[in-house]
């Protein structure tokens, strides 16, 4: 996830950039690659006992390096790799999420006698532009007035706004409220709404007015009845695009919404637990070892999440070898020194433009898992209470640079 690093720490990171480049192991360093990888992790304020790392040769599957490979550790945003795989395989890259306007009542010439229902199905990208399109469609069927109200229906998901194990500050601070109906990521003016379905209904009421449709009643929340008829519909971008965004910028909200979508579509329950059950089944079916793994949310924010370096490397190798998944994965992963959350890291080193990897940063975990070219797949997890943001990042970056330089 993309955590806010204090300005003081950012300044220190700038100073440490020179340390990273000058101290990073290179191909010319004496000793074997495993020894160089081991040395890369030896930095101040990083506990090797609370760290795990694995490197495999992509072609052969041979273990090149392993340290605490099966140790359960907090994965931070490396948790999103499991969501990426499950979403791409269980839903498919072309999957889109629908949002509908339904009518309860009947049309009488230009008047709709009854209520309109804005029903969400979990689109994390739903925007004011989408609401404007819905409003134009309603006007396009000849409706210019509504005798009732606009109801916001978020019943596709449960009503939990966060996931288990989150710190209180993560609500709003790290993710908008989770809801099957949320517009503009819950933003209303300068604030984030605590009731996204109500805010969505209010925004649609305004969009309808701009489109020439007057709504008599005040917006509220509700659930569409079985007899509601479809009047308008919009679709999200393809799932592949949502996954690319989620991983590149490490977006917590998208990860959590996709987990609930997996539960709703595949298990009939729009809950975090149901969605993670789908994720676990997808990983099991792929042969990913889940001993020591505990999936509690989709973003990696939860203090209860646990992954192992072995499981992450196994998952990444499965994704690499799947021709339907590999292109989407590679398009999603940040590139060292170039894009996403790695844009400013490992510049001027052998890893720049070569290493593609998912980052992870919380108060108690730093993670980096991905690929060094098309030769190695790797995972490094560093935990602490708290973890040193500065030195743990130096350690994982040195590790990746050593692989890229080999």
């Amino acid at each position: 996830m993309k955590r806010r690093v204090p300005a003081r720490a950012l300044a220190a990171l700038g100073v440490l950039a020179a340390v990273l480049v000058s101290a990073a192991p290179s191909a010319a360093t004496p000793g074997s690659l495993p020894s160089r990888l081991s040395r890369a992790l030896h930095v101040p304020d990083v506990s090797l006992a609370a760290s795990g790392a694995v490197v495999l040769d992509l072609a052969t599957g041979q273990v090149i390096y392993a340290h605490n490979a099966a140790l359960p550790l907090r994965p931070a945003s490396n948790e999103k790799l499991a969501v990426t795989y499950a979403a791409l395989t269980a839903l498919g890259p072309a999957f889109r999420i629908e949002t509908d306007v339904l009518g309860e009542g009947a049309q009488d010439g230009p008047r709709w006698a009854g209520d309109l229902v804005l029903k969400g199905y979990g689109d994390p990208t739903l925007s004011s532009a989408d609401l404007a399109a819905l409003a134009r469609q309603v006007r396009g069927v000849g409706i210019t007035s509504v005798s009732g109200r606009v109801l916001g229906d978020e019943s596709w998901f449960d009503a939990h706004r966060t996931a288990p194990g989150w710190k209180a500050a993560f609500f709003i601070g790290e993710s908008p409220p989770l809801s099957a109906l949320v517009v503009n990521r819950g933003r209303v003016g300068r604030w984030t709404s605590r009731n996204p379905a109500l805010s969505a209904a209010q925004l649609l009421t305004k969009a309808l007015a701009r489109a020439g449709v007057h709504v008599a009643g005040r917006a509220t929340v509700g659930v569409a009845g079985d007899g509601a008829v479809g009047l308008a519909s919009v679709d999200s971008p393809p799932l592949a695009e949502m996954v690319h965004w989620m991983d590149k910028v490490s977006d917590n909200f998208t990860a959590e919404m996709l987990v609930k979508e997996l539960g709703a579509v595949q298990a009939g329950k729009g809950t975090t637990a149901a969605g993670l059950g789908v994720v676990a089944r997808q990983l099991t079916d792929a042969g990913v070892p889940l001993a020591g793994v505990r999936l509690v949310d989709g973003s990696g924010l939860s203090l209860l999440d646990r992954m192992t370096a072995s499981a992450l490397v196994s998952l990444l190798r499965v994704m690499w070898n799947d021709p339907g998944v590999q292109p989407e994965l590679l398009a999603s992963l940040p590139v060292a020194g170039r894009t996403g959350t790695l844009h400013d890291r490992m510049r001027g080193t052998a890893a720049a433009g070569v290493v593609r990897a998912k980052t992870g940063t919380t108060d108690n975990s730093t993670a980096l898992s991905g690929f060094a070219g098309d030769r190695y797949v790797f995972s490094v997890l560093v935990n602490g209470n708290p973890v040193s943001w500065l030195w743990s990042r130096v350690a994982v970056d040195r590790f990746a640079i050593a692989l890229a330089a080999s």
Side-chain angles (χ1 to χ4, degrees):
M1 69 257 359
K2 197 172 182 179
R3 296 298 310 282
R4 297 176 184 83
V5 182
R8 191 174 176 184
L10 286 171
L13 278 172
V15 173
L16 285 173
V19 175
L20 177 63
V21 175
S22 63
S26 69
T29 305
S32 65
L33 176 58
S35 67
R36 297 200 300 276
L37 293 171
S38 180
R39 285 199 299 275
L41 297 178
H42 283 75
V43 299
D45 298 326
V46 166
S47 169
L48 292 178
S51 303
V54 173
V55 178
L56 295 185
D57 184 293
L58 271 170
T60 66
Q62 178 185 355
V63 177
I64 304 299
Y65 177 82
H67 169 72
N68 287 339
L71 180 65
L73 295 165
R74 296 186 181 100
S77 275
N78 276 204
E79 182 97 348
K80 295 182 177 77
L81 291 170
V83 177
T84 296
Y85 178 72
L88 289 172
T89 54
L91 300 176
F95 179 82
R96 294 174 186 262
I97 302 172
E98 189 174 308
T99 303
D100 296 333
V101 174
L102 308 173
E104 292 190 322
Q107 186 170 351
D108 180 13
R111 177 174 175 269
W112 183 266
D115 295 328
L116 299 184
V117 181
L118 177 62
K119 186 170 179 63
Y121 289 93
D123 180 3
T125 73
L126 190 66
S127 68
S128 292
D130 293 318
L131 296 189
L134 289 168
R136 288 192 298 270
Q137 290 178 48
V138 172
R139 180 66 182 83
V141 298
I143 297 172
T144 59
S145 67
V146 177
S147 67
R149 309 154 295 172
V150 173
L151 311 180
D153 182 348
E154 61 179 346
S155 60
W156 185 243
F157 289 171
D158 66 11
H160 293 292
R161 304 303 191 198
T162 63
W166 282 17
K167 295 180 180 179
F170 290 168
F171 179 58
I172 306 298
E174 292 295 336
S175 171
L178 306 180
S179 168
L181 178 60
V182 56
V183 179
N184 300 330
R185 298 172 64 92
R187 294 290 293 182
V188 179
R190 295 187 304 152
W191 310 103
T192 299
S193 172
R194 265 61 172 176
N195 190 340
L198 175 60
S199 297
Q202 293 168 338
L203 288 170
L204 179 60
T205 301
K206 294 177 181 178
L208 286 164
R210 288 191 291 269
V213 181
H214 172 72
V215 180
R218 296 182 63 180
T220 186
V221 294
V223 178
D226 293 338
V229 297
L231 298 174
S233 179
V234 292
D235 289 335
S236 72
L239 180 101
E241 290 186 21
M242 290 187 274
V243 166
H244 297 170
W245 165 260
M246 175 182 76
D247 287 336
K248 198 153 286 181
V249 305
S250 205
D251 187 62
N252 302 316
F253 176 63
T254 301
E256 300 298 346
M257 292 284 280
L258 289 182
V259 165
K260 289 197 174 191
E261 188 71 11
L262 281 165
V265 173
Q266 297 293 319
K269 295 180 180 178
T271 68
T272 297
L276 291 172
V278 176
V279 174
R281 287 195 296 274
Q282 296 297 108
L283 297 183
T284 299
D285 290 347
V288 175
L290 296 185
V293 172
R294 182 166 58 186
L295 307 174
V296 179
D297 70 358
S299 63
L301 284 172
S302 177
L303 298 174
L304 305 175
D305 289 321
R306 295 293 185 275
M307 292 285 277
T308 67
S310 177
L312 283 164
V313 162
S314 175
L315 172 59
L316 285 167
R317 188 162 182 250
V318 165
M319 296 171 81
W320 179 273
N321 290 328
D322 187 329
V325 173
Q326 189 199 85
E328 308 305 340
L329 174 65
L330 295 182
S332 301
L333 292 177
V335 179
R338 301 286 193 273
T339 63
T341 53
L342 286 179
H343 181 269
D344 297 321
R345 290 171 59 176
M346 294 178 270
R347 289 185 175 183
T349 73
V354 174
V355 167
R356 294 176 180 267
K358 182 73 198 73
T359 58
T361 305
T362 63
D363 291 342
N364 44 46
S365 179
T366 294
L368 190 68
S369 299
F371 306 96
D374 59 1
R375 187 174 182 188
Y376 299 116
V377 55
F378 70 92
S379 176
V380 190
L381 304 174
V382 178
N383 281 191
N385 291 299
V387 72
S388 167
W389 274 337
L390 303 181
W391 286 110
S392 61
R393 184 170 291 187
V394 168
V396 300
D397 285 3
R398 279 166 45 112
F399 193 92
I401 292 167
L403 275 179
S406 66

